Amino acid sequence: MSGSTERMPRLLALVPYLLARPGVRVDEAAHDFDVTPRQLRKDLELLWMCGLPGYGPGDLIDLSFEGDTIVVTHDAGMSRPLRLTGGEATALLVALRALADTPGVVDGDAVRRSIAKIEDAAGQAQPAGVVVGGGVREGKRAAKTREEVAAALQAGRALRMRYYTASKDQMTERTVDPMRLLIVQAVGYLEAWCRRVEDVRLFRLDRIDELTVLDEPASPPAHARPTDLSDGVFSARPDQCEAELVLDPDARWVAEYYPCEELAELDGGRLRIRMRYADESWMVRLVLGLAGDAQVESPVTLADAVRRRAADAVARSRHLPSTYGR
C-alpha cells in the first residue's frame, strides 16, 4: 500500500494520528496504517518537507524520534479542523457529484458518503457568489448528459450532438466517436474523435445542447491519441493575451466556469481574476454579458473595445421603435 493513491490519504491522516498518540511506537503506527515500518519511516521523512507557505524551518512539520517512538513537535496547522467557505463547499460538492456519476470510480459509495458529510458540515453556509445553474449550467440537464455519454461509451456507440463553441459564439452539429469521459478541475469533458474536423477534441458536457446516441459503433481511427492534460485543459500559448478583471459577487461564477491564473479576494465579496484569451471579440462578449458586474482593469485595449461595443449598442438602440406601453 505504498502507491500514490494510498499514500496521500495516509500522509494527511498521519499528523492527527500522531498528535492523538504522542510517543507511539513506529511498528504500532505502521500496523495501524497497514504498511511496513520502513514505509512509515519514508512517509515521516516526506512529512518533514511539508508545511505552510514560507517553507522555512518554522513553517514545516517537525517530528522527533526517541528510539522507536514518534512525537510531533510542530504540526504546522494540521491539528486544526478543515473549515470550508460556502463557495468552497459548493465547488467541492459539484465536483464530487460529477465524480459519483462517472463510470470507473473506484469506490462510488465512499464518494457519496463524502458528499453527505460535506452537505451536513456546510449547514446553512451561503455559496459566496458561486452560481450553480445560472452561469455554471450544472444540474439535472448536465447529469443527464453525463449519463447518456457514459452509456454511449459503455455500449461503444457514436454520438450526434449540437454543441456550443464559446470562442466563436456559435452552435454546431457534430458526429463524434467517444473515447473517454474526463473531469478536469471540477468540469466534465467528453474526449472524442470529431468527424467534422477529423481530429480529437474535448467537449464540455455543459455545452452540449442536444445529444443522440446512434446505432452505429464508435470507431475513432487508430492514430487518434488521448489529449495530454498534464498542464490542464488550456495551456498557455504565445498568441494569447491576458485580461485582469474585477468581478462583483454575482459574477464570481466566471472564476468557476473559466480557467483563471490568479484569484484575489477583494472587499465586498468581489474577486480579481487573471485569465487568458485568444479572441478579443469573445472576451468583449463575455464582459458585456456580465451586465456591469465585471470591470476590465487591463489591458487598456480590451477596456476600450468593451466601451466601443457598448456605445455602439446604445447608439443603435436609439433608432429602434419604442414599444413601451403597447
Side-chain angles (χ1 to χ4, degrees):
M1 295 182 61
S2 59
S4 58
T5 56
E6 293 88 5
R7 196 179 194 191
M8 180 59 73
R10 187 169 65 245
L11 289 170
L12 292 173
L14 257 174
V15 175
Y17 169 91
L18 296 172
L19 286 171
R21 299 165 181 79
V24 66
R25 291 177 56 84
V26 173
D27 55 356
E28 182 182 345
H31 178 269
D32 288 345
F33 282 92
D34 195 24
V35 294
T36 65
R38 180 182 179 185
Q39 179 61 51
L40 186 71
R41 289 183 182 275
K42 288 183 178 180
D43 291 343
L44 295 172
E45 289 170 0
L46 181 57
L47 279 176
W48 261 321
M49 307 306 295
C50 301
L52 298 170
Y55 311 114
D59 306 305
L60 302 178
I61 294 170
D62 198 4
L63 307 169
S64 173
F65 288 95
E66 297 179 6
D68 288 330
T69 62
I70 319 162
V71 176
V72 178
T73 56
H74 179 60
D75 58 42
M78 288 288 286
S79 60
R80 295 195 298 268
L82 176 65
R83 292 288 185 265
L84 296 175
T85 65
E88 290 169 339
T90 301
L92 184 56
L93 285 170
V94 169
L96 285 172
R97 288 185 183 122
L99 186 63
D101 293 335
T102 303
V105 172
V106 176
D107 191 345
D109 288 339
V111 174
R112 284 182 280 274
R113 288 196 301 272
S114 298
I115 290 172
K117 289 179 181 179
I118 294 171
E119 288 176 335
D120 182 62
Q124 300 302 315
Q126 297 300 314
V130 177
V131 178
V132 180
V136 180
R137 294 181 291 172
E138 180 66 44
K140 292 183 178 179
R141 181 175 178 178
K144 186 174 184 294
T145 299
R146 282 197 302 272
E147 292 172 1
E148 292 177 347
V149 170
L153 273 166
Q154 291 177 339
R157 299 293 183 183
L159 292 168
R160 181 181 297 118
M161 62 185 183
R162 191 164 180 261
Y163 186 74
Y164 173 67
T165 303
S167 61
K168 298 180 180 178
D169 191 28
Q170 63 180 210
M171 302 293 295
T172 56
E173 301 284 342
R174 300 170 185 255
T175 300
V176 302
D177 300 290
M179 296 168 60
R180 58 176 176 164
L181 192 58
L182 304 165
I183 297 176
V184 183
Q185 297 177 334
V187 177
Y189 293 89
L190 164 66
E191 184 173 45
W193 176 263
C194 178
R195 300 182 187 177
R196 183 171 180 265
V197 299
E198 297 185 337
D199 202 356
V200 175
R201 289 289 186 268
L202 286 171
F203 300 99
R204 282 185 63 139
L205 298 183
D206 54 7
R207 292 180 184 167
I208 298 176
D209 190 60
E210 295 177 2
L211 188 68
T212 303
V213 180
L214 304 178
D215 290 335
E216 62 182 283
S219 55
H223 64 270
R225 293 290 181 270
T227 307
D228 180 6
L229 299 174
S230 56
D231 294 326
V233 175
F234 302 99
S235 55
R237 300 197 312 269
D239 62 327
Q240 291 177 324
C241 300
E242 281 191 346
E244 190 168 290
L245 310 178
V246 172
L247 306 176
D248 288 346
D250 288 342
R252 289 175 63 107
W253 62 264
V254 172
E256 305 288 335
Y257 196 59
Y258 298 103
C260 299
E261 296 189 5
E262 287 188 10
L263 295 174
E265 292 284 348
L266 304 177
D267 61 307
R270 297 179 304 148
L271 190 69
R272 176 180 286 111
I273 65 171
R274 185 185 298 274
M275 58 187 295
R276 289 181 173 271
Y277 64 97
D279 186 337
E280 185 180 84
S281 64
W282 174 86
M283 198 68 190
V284 169
R285 290 196 305 272
L286 173 65
V287 174
L288 291 176
L290 295 173
D293 285 335
Q295 296 79 47
V296 179
E297 291 201 333
S298 67
V300 174
T301 53
L302 176 61
D304 290 342
V306 171
R307 281 193 287 267
R308 285 196 304 272
R309 185 76 65 86
D312 289 346
V314 171
R316 287 195 301 270
S317 68
R318 295 196 183 104
H319 301 289
L320 296 176
S322 174
T323 57
Y324 181 75
R326 294 184 183 178

